[in-house]
Amino acid sequence: PLGSAMVNLGQESAFYDKQNKEKIYGAVYHRWETIQHHSGEIQEYEISKTILSADVFISVPKMKIHKKVGVTLNAKGLVGIATNKNLIVHYTLGTPEEGGDQFPDGLLTSTEKKIIKFERWCYDTFLAKRSVWFELIHRFIYGFLYLKIAKPLGLNVPEEKRLLDAGNWHGNDSAWRMCVDLMKIIHFADANGKLHDTLQRRMFSVVDGIIGGENVGPLVPDPKPVGILIGGENLLAVDLVATRLMGFDPMKIKQFSYILSDVNSYGIKSIDDIEILSYFEDFKGCLKDKTNRFFDFRPHPGWIGHIEI
């Protein structure tokens, strides 16, 4: 209701020193908009002024897996405060050898890599124009030439590899940065989007783990009956505890390890600053327990073997 405010993090953005910004990809096809707002000293997000004007921010995320950043929870859930999702960097085109994080190195055959690059070229050339005529051309190329002719001839990328497309794997070096930036904004940006050194509002979070989500999250996860609610006044602390109870090592998830090392104070500087209250004794010491998998969530296929305890 109050409109939006542009928040420029500048050098304080986790994207400030990221290389190959000309390859970054946002939420939709017109990449030029994403690049325009993440270049040099300009590291901008369009944020709801209703949120920024609030004295108290209450977050109620689901306890589930996320394909780009490992887990959803509070940090990733902050995408909801952005009014233009295309200013949020999701991944970087290419493999790590090419300066990107779209796919792991060595996953695709040379033919599969050409197919993926051709698809992205079509997106940039036709769909990014936001023109009906260019969209019709794309429909002909993709819907007829590719789906009807090329794919039946075996020129396709297997579905198990497609699952990792668009940075859906543990090597995504882009998406975790937007989690860090959005956490900085919700904590330190005032009603007009100006950053301060002190917290600008109170926080409260309740993670809904009654029925969680595992495997191919966040959009089509398998249901995970857990029967737990996790609440607290510190978004980061709640995320760390929830992540550990999911069976993962929070320090293997980049947004959490980065925020804990940030010069800004988010209320805690290490897991030792977190006090856990629970009727279950093993939950109280979960952050220091190095063996228990607790609820044993299954990660996204692109994250298996990289974040589990």
Side-chain angles (χ1 to χ4, degrees), residues 44-245:
E44 290 181 322
Y45 295 84
E46 186 178 294
I47 305 296
S48 166
K49 288 198 72 173
T50 302
I51 296 294
L52 293 176
S53 300
D55 296 322
V56 178
F57 177 74
I58 300 175
S59 175
V60 189
K62 288 292 290 184
M63 192 179 197
K64 63 179 178 178
I65 297 301
H66 197 282
K67 57 190 177 183
K68 287 180 170 57
V69 296
V71 293
T72 301
L73 307 175
N74 287 299
K76 175 58 180 69
L78 289 175
V79 167
I81 72 174
T83 54
N84 184 347
K85 303 298 188 287
N86 203 37
L87 303 194
I88 295 175
V89 180
H90 287 60
Y91 63 98
T92 304
L93 294 173
T95 64
E97 287 181 351
E98 300 166 330
D101 53 30
Q102 180 183 359
F103 277 105
D105 288 323
L107 178 71
L108 303 175
T109 66
S110 59
T111 299
E112 291 166 350
K113 188 177 290 188
K114 289 176 183 177
I115 292 172
I116 293 294
K117 288 187 175 181
F118 178 71
E119 289 176 353
R120 299 295 162 171
W121 177 83
C122 287
Y123 294 163
D124 285 350
T125 304
F126 302 115
L127 296 183
K129 305 293 186 184
R130 291 191 282 188
S131 161
V132 173
W133 293 109
F134 279 103
E135 184 175 338
L136 290 174
I137 294 173
H138 180 267
R139 287 184 182 181
F140 173 74
I141 293 174
Y142 186 77
F144 179 71
L145 295 181
Y146 177 65
L147 293 182
K148 299 294 185 181
I149 298 177
K151 192 172 182 180
L153 293 175
L155 295 174
N156 68 307
V157 179
E159 188 58 34
E160 62 270 18
K161 294 184 179 182
R162 286 278 185 187
L163 279 175
L164 276 62
D165 188 10
N168 299 339
W169 65 297
H170 67 93
N172 186 322
D173 193 41
S174 305
W176 68 267
R177 298 172 187 267
M178 63 92 169
C179 291
V180 172
D181 282 0
L182 292 173
M183 282 284 278
K184 189 179 293 289
I185 288 170
I186 197 62
H187 282 82
F188 302 110
D190 65 19
N192 296 311
K194 181 181 178 181
L195 290 179
H196 297 267
D197 295 329
T198 56
L199 298 178
Q200 295 300 296
R201 56 194 57 83
R202 296 176 61 192
M203 312 279 180
F204 191 77
S205 169
V206 178
V207 173
D208 176 6
I210 302 299
I211 302 292
E214 63 178 358
N215 197 10
V216 190
L219 299 181
V220 287
D222 297 330
K224 179 77 170 180
V226 176
I228 191 173
L229 296 173
I230 305 172
E233 296 179 327
N234 185 293
L235 303 188
L236 176 58
V238 170
D239 275 6
L240 293 171
V241 172
T243 299
R244 184 62 194 88
L245 290 177

